[in-house]
Amino acid sequence: MYCSACGAYVSEGSRFCPSCGKETGSSAENNTGSVAEPEAGAGTDILALLCYFGILLLIPYIIRPGSQFVKYHANQGLLLLLLGIACGVVSIIPILGWIVGVVAGIFTAVCWVIGIINVLRGRMNPLPIIGKYNILH
């Protein structure tokens, strides 16, 4: 099978493309050229954007509980929210805490932009450093 999003080879039985992270059940093309049925609900990509706006991540997580794409980005958004809260707590400590808080705040902002870009491109790429952790199942 080949991924219709990036054209990379996807082995049989794989749920996601190893190159771009697209779900194979909704975007993969087999060797005969037929395209699999798209995921139900055309607004899933746009809905997943809410996952990166703090507590609003609950809206797509509740509305589309069966979407792997939404679950993945809800988890990434939750990690960013927790990092932002941690930045605020650390910033209370004078001098060293302020420096760490500012650096972590900049990192959080960069990860937020990366997450938004991943949603808009339809990819499930993990955020740098924090993206490997899974809180939501």
Side-chain angles (χ1 to χ4, degrees):
M1 294 172 41
Y2 294 93
C3 178
S4 63
C6 69
Y9 175 75
V10 180
S11 61
E12 288 292 329
S14 295
R15 291 190 60 206
F16 300 100
C17 172
S19 178
C20 71
K22 274 287 214 186
E23 196 169 357
T24 59
S26 63
S27 66
E29 190 172 308
N30 63 22
N31 292 333
T32 61
S34 64
V35 178
E37 288 296 317
E39 183 177 321
T44 301
D45 291 353
I46 301 302
L47 192 61
L49 279 175
L50 289 177
C51 294
Y52 291 96
F53 291 95
I55 198 70
L56 293 179
L57 69 90
L58 291 174
I59 295 170
Y61 190 72
I62 292 170
I63 292 176
R64 299 276 167 84
S67 171
Q68 291 297 324
F69 188 76
V70 168
K71 282 183 184 178
Y72 181 82
H73 287 290
N75 184 68
Q76 299 290 293
L78 180 59
L79 291 170
L80 274 177
L81 178 62
L82 294 175
L83 181 62
I85 292 170
C87 290
V89 170
V90 169
S91 297
I92 295 172
I93 303 169
I95 302 171
L96 183 60
W98 298 337
I99 294 169
V100 171
V102 167
V103 171
I106 292 170
F107 175 74
T108 303
V110 169
C111 285
W112 181 77
V113 171
I114 291 170
I116 297 266
I117 290 171
N118 284 339
V119 168
L120 293 175
R121 289 184 176 172
R123 296 186 177 167
M124 295 172 57
N125 296 339
L127 296 174
I129 301 172
I130 63 170
K132 61 185 173 185
Y133 300 104
N134 192 9
I135 297 174
L136 301 175
H137 297 283

